[in-house]
Amino acid sequence: GLDPILIGSTLTLIAVGLMALFSVNQAAPSEGVFRRQLLLLGIGTVPFAVFFFVPATFWQRIVNLVYGVNVGLLAMVLVAGDTGGGAQRWRDIGPIQLQPSELSKILTVITLATFFAKRQEDIKYFSTFALSFLHVLPPLFLIFRQPPLGATLPIMVAWLTICVVARVPWKFIAGFLVGLALIGGIAGATLLRGYQEERLRALVSRERDERGSHYQQVQAEIAIGTGGVLGQGFLRGEQRERRAVPEQHNDFIFTVIGEEGGLFGSALVLGVFAVFFLRGWQIAQRMNDLFGRMCCMGVLSVLAFHWVVNVAMNLGIGPVVGRWLPFISYGGTALWLCLACVALILNLNARTEENVFS
């Protein structure tokens, strides 16, 4: 159960995140992000314990309740959530901000895995594939309405990943992707909000407007570029000290690693991520039941999506979509989601080992 490689890589990434936040906190001590992250990490032991100690079969038995809680929390935010930055996606509970859109990712993985596990004999039929999409459609719609558009994408990625693991015929998946691309191309102009259009233009435009829509990525590239090969050293980042990079404690925290750790430090951190995902994939391949394999690959796909999108955004090779870096970015619900995902993988791994040695 307690896989040393998965746990070791997780703890290493959390330590890297705390170091980066400590550095950011030195430039803006009044914001107190380091101390708050320590508190949030302590609170994160609760969701970790829940998903580690509660048998995975329990979630299957109460799957209808889990689905109802998932949709109910998302709907609650739309009705009575707190608004900021043009979005309504969290609820303040005392000093804590709870974002149901983050919690929805692991809950959707569990309910979707249960859906397919109960229909193993019917997975080859298109009706099962269509019903699986209808299964994830309510959470997707409610999240889209909040709206963090980027938060719908990890759930879509998890759905497609679970479809592949469940061995849904490829013709269904390919047909859906082609249809989605066509619909997205036609409807994109009307569905995308103004700031989302600006970010896409900023990505594809060859001209750099350092004060306009390119500002975030330009500053991020400068910060990473000044790190060179070996970096400027811990607590010595000039861009960090000047607070030139917006949202450096969250979306652009990788720029702290790039500036202070350089190419060498960045490569080491990316290497730890690679070890984490490779070990998670190996654990999933060992699982002898479909439900466990789908859950494991589903949560890994969510975390991998965040990792790839965040790093691409920081390096200027992807659009700015506001996705956090797993285990490293500041934020309570995101960190709790990451810990819950690791706990669920360890839980499923323990059950696999029990079956092997029983």
Side-chain angles (χ1 to χ4, degrees):
L2 294 175
D3 186 87
I5 298 177
L6 191 71
I7 293 176
S9 55
T10 298
L11 293 176
T12 301
L13 292 172
I14 291 173
V16 169
L18 291 175
M19 290 177 64
L21 287 172
F22 182 81
S23 181
V24 171
N25 201 92
Q26 293 300 105
S30 61
E31 297 180 4
V33 293
F34 176 73
R35 181 182 297 179
R36 287 207 300 272
Q37 187 76 343
L38 286 176
L39 173 62
L40 295 171
L41 180 60
I43 297 173
T45 57
V46 175
F48 180 90
V50 169
F51 283 94
F52 181 75
F53 289 110
V54 174
T57 52
F58 175 76
W59 304 116
Q60 291 178 280
R61 289 198 298 270
I62 64 166
V63 65
N64 292 332
L65 177 61
V66 173
Y67 191 86
V69 168
N70 185 12
V71 174
L73 287 174
L74 292 172
M76 177 199 70
V77 171
L78 286 179
V79 175
D82 297 286
T83 304
Q88 187 170 341
R89 54 179 178 247
W90 63 80
R91 180 69 180 169
D92 287 335
I93 304 175
I96 299 172
Q97 283 187 344
L98 178 67
Q99 291 192 34
S101 61
E102 303 295 354
L103 178 63
S104 179
K105 295 166 187 174
I106 189 170
L107 296 184
T108 300
V109 165
I110 291 172
T111 59
L112 184 60
T114 303
F115 170 89
F116 275 119
K118 290 181 176 180
R119 295 167 174 81
Q120 293 188 43
E121 300 300 323
D122 301 322
I123 289 175
K124 61 183 178 180
Y125 298 116
F126 178 77
S127 58
T128 303
F129 174 72
L131 285 173
S132 73
F133 180 69
L134 291 178
H135 182 95
V136 301
L137 193 57
L140 285 172
F141 174 76
L142 291 170
I143 292 172
F144 182 79
R145 291 288 299 163
Q146 293 180 14
L149 175 64
T152 63
L153 298 179
I155 292 180
M156 287 292 293
V157 169
W159 171 62
L160 290 171
T161 300
I162 291 175
C163 284
V164 172
V165 175
R167 297 190 176 180
V168 169
W170 276 103
K171 59 184 178 181
F172 300 157
I173 299 175
F176 175 84
L177 291 175
V178 171
L180 185 65
L182 291 175
I183 294 172
I186 296 171
T190 57
L191 290 178
L192 286 178
R193 297 172 182 266
Y195 71 92
Q196 293 165 345
E197 293 181 5
E198 286 298 317
R199 287 172 176 178
L200 288 176
R201 290 196 193 101
L203 177 65
V204 300
S205 174
R206 294 185 178 182
E207 297 181 1
R208 289 288 184 176
D209 176 11
E210 296 188 9
R211 297 182 181 275
S213 54
H214 291 93
Y215 179 78
Q216 290 174 300
Q217 286 188 319
V218 167
Q219 296 303 318
E221 291 170 12
I222 292 174
I224 292 176
T226 56
V229 177
L230 298 178
Q232 296 190 2
F234 185 52
L235 303 180
R236 294 182 179 178
E238 296 177 5
Q239 290 290 96
R240 174 200 58 82
E241 188 68 30
R242 293 174 47 236
R243 302 180 66 183
V245 183
E247 296 295 323
Q248 197 168 25
H249 64 296
N250 192 349
D251 299 345
F252 287 93
I253 197 167
F254 191 73
T255 62
V256 180
I257 298 170
E259 184 177 21
E260 299 188 351
L263 176 64
F264 181 74
S266 299
L268 283 179
V269 173
L270 294 179
V272 176
F273 269 113
V275 170
F276 172 85
F277 288 115
L278 176 60
R279 189 56 178 171
W281 180 83
Q282 290 173 336
I283 291 173
Q285 299 312 302
R286 287 208 313 260
M287 292 181 182
N288 50 18
D289 70 300
L290 182 60
F291 172 77
R293 202 177 309 119
M294 288 187 294
C295 277
C296 188
M297 292 302 296
V299 295
L300 283 174
S301 69
V302 168
L303 299 181
F305 175 84
H306 278 273
W307 172 48
V308 171
V309 170
N310 181 275
V311 173
M313 178 178 71
N314 276 256
L315 296 178
I317 57 177
V320 179
V321 292
R323 295 297 88 201
W324 39 262
L325 188 60
F327 305 105
I328 294 179
S329 290
Y330 171 80
T333 316
L335 179 60
W336 301 336
L337 169 66
C338 294
L339 293 173
C341 288
V342 172
L344 182 60
I345 295 172
L346 293 173
N347 186 328
L348 294 166
N349 183 49
R351 187 172 72 164
T352 299
E353 291 176 349
E354 289 174 3
N355 293 336
V356 169
F357 293 106
S358 59

